[in-house]
Amino acid sequence: EFRRVLFRSDGDIDIEDIALALASIARYNGHAKQFYSVAQHSLLVAQQVPEEHKLAALVHDAAEAYVGDMIHPLKSSPLLAGYRRLCDYVEGKVAAFFGVSYPWHPSVKEADLRMLVTEKREVIISHPFPWGVEASYAPYEGVEIVEENPDRGKMMERWRRAVVDCLMRAGWANPTGPHSPALRGVLAKMGEDL
């Protein structure tokens, strides 16, 4: 049913909407020592993957701009299989829009789960029970997670700039390149030099 409602065309996905939402959405439903956004999480995940997978890492949670974020223990519950199907559908659409492969490359999934374990240790106010990933993934050491006085506008710009930089390195302006024509149009409107 959601296929009829969401994303009737490539133009329904918008990089500015995603940047705003990811910079505004608090990870862990706000149960963090300080505000910690999905955008900051995505930037940190992108730092942990090979160059060719940085764009996928930056947009791996971009579907949350359209379906919201949900804490890991709840998201993995059998009761929310429909939500996971919706996320899978939206993630596939977002990946196609940005010209990256989906399902996500294993390096992106591993970096995301290792960052989850790192965040559980560093960011969450309390975490009294296991989430089911700690035994399989080691946390990152030396990763600075919480910024002093986070600024949503600055975080939006950092995420957007990182995405645009990846697209520029990947040759998004090339008319025969893999990136959606709608995305090229959006970036051109934003004043990016071709």
Side-chain angles (χ1 to χ4, degrees), residues 145-164:
I145 292 184
V146 179
E147 296 183 335
E148 295 294 324
N149 302 316
D151 178 290
R152 182 173 73 171
K154 288 180 184 175
M155 188 55 67
M156 280 177 60
E157 181 55 28
R158 278 182 56 203
W159 182 88
R160 188 187 74 77
R161 181 80 259 158
V163 169
V164 169

Side-chain angles (χ1 to χ4, degrees), residues 27-34 36 71 116-128 131 145-146:
R27 296 267 293 164
Y28 309 108
N29 282 348
H31 294 271
K33 295 173 186 171
Q34 287 185 284
Y36 178 57
I71 58 173
L116 177 76
V117 175
T118 305
E119 292 162 356
K120 183 178 179 191
R121 181 189 69 199
E122 300 293 326
V123 176
I124 303 302
I125 293 172
S126 71
H127 45 83
W131 291 358
I145 292 184
V146 179

